[in-house]
Amino acid sequence: MTPALIRCLLAISALSEVCPSVASKDVAQLLGLKRPTIHRALEAMRTKGLILKEPYGDIYLTETGVALAHRLEEQRDQLSILFVRKFSLAPDEATRAAILLISELKEESLSKLQALK
């Protein structure tokens, strides 16, 4: 998944935990992106089976989407903490770096990084 799709999926997951319904405008506002950008990301996630979305309706994570979001959140958080503690990155930089690496590295490589704690 691209960094943009990861960020979008994580935003939907976070919003789902605090809001009874999630709309594309909420995701766009949270990420600071324009709605057409979010709509393209949502369509890509819908095709991958990560979300359910009715036209002009609410967005819901599928079971697959929930599981992936939780896994990505855990990886992002672990890597962000590593980058802050070991490399003195600012928290926002650490989070961006973590998402970029998650999108590009294989699971085996990510596990090796996380083992550096």
Side-chain angles (χ1 to χ4, degrees):
M1 280 180 68
T2 66
L5 287 183
I6 291 171
R7 288 181 65 229
C8 192
L9 181 67
L10 295 178
I12 294 167
S13 177
L15 288 167
S16 296
E17 291 179 12
V18 295
C19 301
S21 62
V22 177
S24 59
K25 66 180 174 114
D26 301 325
V27 180
Q29 184 176 15
L30 180 63
L31 296 177
L33 298 171
K34 299 202 183 288
R35 287 177 69 186
T37 303
I38 295 301
H39 284 284
R40 285 189 296 276
L42 293 174
E43 182 56 28
M45 287 190 288
R46 190 191 62 72
T47 338
K48 293 176 182 288
L50 301 174
I51 64 166
L52 298 173
K53 183 184 181 312
E54 300 168 9
Y56 306 103
D58 293 333
I59 304 162
Y60 302 95
L61 291 173
T62 62
E63 285 184 32
T64 303
V66 169
L68 179 58
H70 287 302
R71 186 171 59 84
L72 291 172
E73 286 168 347
E74 185 177 317
Q75 287 177 328
R76 178 204 58 203
D77 294 348
Q78 288 177 355
L79 288 173
S80 294
I81 290 167
L82 171 72
F83 295 151
V84 168
R85 288 183 180 165
K86 296 282 186 181
F87 302 106
S88 301
L89 292 183
D92 61 327
E93 284 182 307
T95 300
R96 280 196 310 274
I99 289 172
L100 286 170
L101 287 174
I102 290 167
S103 72
E104 295 295 327
L105 295 179
K106 295 178 182 176
E107 287 294 323
E108 180 183 340
S109 298
L110 288 170
S111 295
K112 288 178 183 177
L113 272 176
Q114 290 167 333
L116 292 175
K117 297 178 191 179

